[in-house]
Amino acid sequence: MKRAWRWIRENSAMMVAILVLIYMLAPIAVIALFSFNDPTGRFNFEWVGFTTQYWQDPFANSELTDSLMLSIRLAFFTSIGATILGTLLAIALVRYQFMGRKASNLLIVIPMATPEVVIGASLLSFFLSPAFLPINFQLGFTTLLIAHIMFSISFVVVVVRSRLIGFDRRLEEASADLGAAPITTFWKVTLPLIAPGVASAAMLSFALSIDDFVISNFNAGAEVTFPLYIFGANQRGIPVEVNVIATMLFTVTVIAMLAVIFQQRRAERMAERRADDDNKATVSVPI
Amino acid sequence: MTTLRQRLLPYALLAPGVVWLIVFFVIPMYSMGELSLRTGSLTEGFQLTWAFENYTNAISEYSTQFFRAFFYAGTATVICLLIGYPLAYAIAFKGGRWKNLMLFAVIAPFFTTYLIRTIAWKTILDDSSFVVGVLKTLQIVPQDGRVLATSGAVIAGLTYNFLPFMILPLYASLERLDLRLIEASKDLYASARVTFFKVTVPLTMPGIIAGILLTFIPASGDYVNSTFLGGTQQAMIGNVIQSKYLVVNDYPVAAALSFTLLVIILIALVFYIKFAGTSALMGDDDEKETA
Amino acid sequence: MTHAKSNNSLRILMLAALALVASMALVACGGGGGLEEGANNDNVTTATGGDPAGNLNVSNWPLYIDDKTISEFDQATGATTKYTEDVNDNNEFFGKVQPLFSQGDSGGRSIIVVTDWMADKMHQLGYVQNFDKEMMTTAQDNLIPSLQSPSFDPNRDFSMPWQTGMTGLVVRSDLAPDVESINDLFDPKYKGKVTMLTEMRDTVPLVMAADGVDPLEATTEDWMAAIDKLQENVANGQIRDFTGNDYVQDMANGSVVAAIGWSGDAVQAQVDNPNIEWRMPTQGCALWSDNMMIPVGAPNPAAAYAFMNYVYEPENQAQIAEFVNYVSPVKGVKEVLEAKDPELANNELIFPSEEFTKNCWNQVSPPGDPAQVKEVEEAFQNVITG
């Protein structure tokens, strides 16, 4: 009895963890399940029968496909823009002491802490306001892109920052000692080493952009992104293709992530092996 | 020896991002503020009349929705903390080789669109579903009751959608925990419970607070969960703002409501910053950086 | 020494940035146009020009067309049509397009489809063009007599019905068999299982009519009284929600058993659940049309006319009617359907007789000047946003 209790106590955290993970993945399972459903009418919420027809041609619905393409294009450009701007910001914040650092920190943190509805609404007010009509910010792809880059920058900064902080400065110093100009050091030493961080930041902003609903709702004008399409379609019955695409998006990301994790493990294992080999070969010289 | 160029370098790096944020975040806030002081209509135009009464009218008329939003968000945050802490703890200390995988499992649901996830809950919780049937048998839900279109459903949705925002900062904080402190506490004969409450929790407080803020703030402005999972009586302030902007097209009042929400949240944020410093929100310490 | 100098240059930089921001703010304060001015177009143009075999952008409501008509139209005329279902709500659509229309820009659209009262509003604001009637004789000839002279457009100068419909009761005949009047929706035994529409001009007149007020004669007080009644029933939980088209989903799964709804929805929903039916309330229903219009700045009126003529051919309209299940505004459709689908041809919801709609009224707006209308609209909005 006591042993049972001990086992429970020791593993309770793990058990809760697994339960929570199941909870988190449950709706995904439902979505995936219903992508195989064969509804009789417009609505896809009661299980009728199994079919793979929607998997065979998920892009049949042209409106759905158009909105998905728009979202992907938007996310792609957002990712590029936000990653560049954010990485530069992160480098500045981590590496340099300068006046206005606290203010910059604040400027980056506050958007993350602002409710999306306020960001979306303020951008809409901005795009509609009289002063900016000369630039003619018509609501559409441009405004969406501007909005998406804006809210992604902060997240990019956070991710790249944490990578930069764990970074061994001595490598940069070594490069400088060997006569490399700062730019060269940056391109050939720093950037490759923070590349994983930059890559995750890029993926994060891509994901945030594709998923965004609230801010897009306010600033899309007549354009319809994938989430906006779903919102409209909800009124009249969401086509099964949406479930298929959602499941596909999920699966693709899972595979990508697993690949990254796998890659990391391999790299670690290889590093260990190399260290072992080095140890066997020579007497290690402390740097 | 620092040249002018070297001194200006950080500003050059900062400039693009900062300018973008100023032009597309700070100035829009200003636009919204200005818009909130106008009166008029979409067709007649909105004139700047310094209509501060937009604020008083808006707040008094929609105080219910404000309170509701904070109540739902607050409840969801507490539940997220209670559920999320054990999970973060498990990942940090018992995860071992599976750490990254588990972390990924936490973020993974994010890769199916927010709307679809919420709509999936609508399917799971609808009146004739299996889950609700079980809840009715267990008497948690009355026989003639329902789950959808109730506060419970909206809170459940908020909890689900914002759980990762709670778990990640908690995990970051827990991971940094120096296990030797826990060992030390045990060596001093503290029970597991005492160790937890007197050592672990205080040390992970920055993470807890970051998690609370990152969950509560977006949740209070949310309107998607109450649109899909709630009924008319579950409308949050986000719903009102959305309606005023996009349906009724009453921009001044909408802007006033939006600004008020922002100010309330900023006040809470100011308290936190005074307590922990801005970089703590980012999850690390100021001093460790420019070495 | 160097330190102080560099600080100075930094300080200059910051001042420059501040100045930039300040000047933008000043511009924002001063600026003209756009939000400041309203829309005021007094010259209504006639829509001409464009290439009937060119690009055509149509904005319409969701689920209002079958999946073949557009491609068949494109094949028949050589046009390339982009059909967007971005009209989900009249007000919402208005908000979306107003900034464009007020500048004379249609955002690429050559046809928009909105309900009568919004068509009226847009026309009053000068956002739509008049038809060149010579280009659309087929459409004008085939319009059913009862729709030829609506009050807001007596000569059909700028609007052409896409479909018309009736707003009444939609019920689950198996779960709420005895609902016959709007007041039955307030029956406590259906508490929490009733929804109504966010379209104020559908919901409120029906509620008023159930209490004996003639919607065509109602005063502002009558409207407000009905809105108060709605507020009560929201507060006590009787009304579950106010919806757009999404009530059908809840009705199909039984969460909602009775609602105010549109005739076409019910017919379409019977595929999901045969127990869903539309019922004519005892006091009558609201009749409305959604109208095609050519907005200002439309790039291709010629193709728009071609499209309107095309869908007004009885054969083509029959194909649309089979899918959409609303009331068709085109003559001769019933005969075409009688051969293909007799059940549909005899469906009173799609081809209602005069007798069937004898108590119905054309959808009305609140009375009075724009300020009074706005008062009513705001009161209603407050009820539906909880």
Side-chain angles (χ1 to χ4, degrees), chain A residues 33-172:
Chain A
L33 181 67
F34 276 88
S35 70
F36 291 104
N37 191 15
D38 186 11
T40 47
R42 281 155 37 192
F43 301 113
N44 184 14
F45 53 76
E46 250 171 38
W47 186 260
V48 174
F50 185 88
T51 175
T52 55
Q53 68 180 85
Y54 296 103
W55 279 91
Q56 286 161 22
D57 192 9
F59 301 111
N61 187 326
S62 66
E63 239 195 295
L64 167 59
T65 315
D66 286 343
S67 71
L68 186 61
M69 288 297 117
L70 177 67
S71 276
I72 291 181
R73 251 176 50 224
L74 183 60
F76 179 71
F77 287 113
T78 299
S79 173
I80 293 180
T83 308
I84 294 178
L85 293 176
T87 307
L88 292 176
L89 269 175
I91 294 177
L93 281 172
V94 174
R95 286 306 167 71
Y96 301 95
Q97 284 281 23
F98 52 87
M99 212 171 70
R101 200 145 163 268
K102 280 228 162 83
S104 306
N105 241 344
L106 208 61
L107 184 61
I108 292 170
V109 161
I110 292 191
M112 282 198 290
T114 312
E116 281 199 303
V117 69
V118 175
I119 295 184
S122 65
L123 276 169
L124 181 63
S125 316
F126 175 75
F127 292 135
L128 291 176
S129 75
F132 302 98
L133 267 181
I135 317 180
N136 206 6
F137 268 138
Q138 259 194 40
L139 295 176
F141 189 81
T142 322
T143 52
L144 276 174
L145 185 60
I146 291 175
H148 281 219
I149 292 183
M150 184 244 120
F151 73 72
S152 301
I153 292 182
S154 311
F155 292 97
V156 171
V157 172
V158 170
V159 174
V160 177
R161 233 178 107 110
S162 53
R163 184 79 192 176
L164 271 172
I165 288 175
F167 184 88
D168 194 345
R169 298 298 302 275
R170 294 176 297 180
L171 291 162
E172 280 183 343

Side-chain angles (χ1 to χ4, degrees), chain C residues 64 114 131 135 138-139 143 164 174 219 233 243 246 255 261 269 295 306 310 316 331 351 362 367:
Chain C
Y64 240 174
V114 290
F131 293 145
M135 301 276 295
T138 317
L143 183 58
T164 79
D174 54 338
T219 60
N233 281 286
T243 67
D246 42 336
S255 315
Y310 185 84
N316 302 327
K331 279 190 243 176
F351 299 102
N362 286 321

Side-chain angles (χ1 to χ4, degrees), chain B residues 7-8 11 30 34 38 42-47 61-62 65 126-127 146 231-233 235 243 246-249, chain C residues 6 10 13 29 35-36 38-39 91-92 95 98 125 192 234-235 240-242 253 255 381-386:
Chain B
R7 292 237 125 209
L8 283 184
Y11 292 102
Y30 170 83
E34 202 226 14
R38 291 175 179 247
L42 203 50
T43 48
E44 294 155 15
F46 295 103
Q47 276 69 43
E61 254 190 276
Y62 298 107
Q65 284 86 351
D126 93 36
D127 292 10
R146 59 170 193 262
T232 315
Q233 285 189 293
S243 160
L246 299 177
V247 180
V248 181
N249 303 314
Chain C
S6 322
L10 294 176
L13 257 174
C29 264
L35 265 184
E36 289 262 329
N91 275 318
E92 205 186 319
Q98 193 272 347
L125 288 166
V234 166
R240 182 186 176 116
D241 205 359
F242 287 86
N253 70 26
S255 315
Q381 272 298 315
N382 281 339
V383 171
I384 68 179
T385 43

Side-chain angles (χ1 to χ4, degrees), chain C residues 116-132:
Chain C
D116 298 322
W117 65 272
M118 180 51 79
D120 188 17
K121 182 171 178 179
M122 285 187 170
H123 176 246
Q124 304 258 8
L125 288 166
Y127 294 163
V128 297
Q129 306 191 54
N130 283 340
F131 293 145
D132 180 356

Side-chain angles (χ1 to χ4, degrees), chain C residues 15 27 50 58 88 123 180 199 222 224 321 338 362:
Chain C
L15 279 173
V27 175
V58 178
N88 280 310
H123 176 246
E180 299 277 329
E199 175 60 78
D222 291 323
M224 296 300 250
E338 252 158 19
N362 286 321

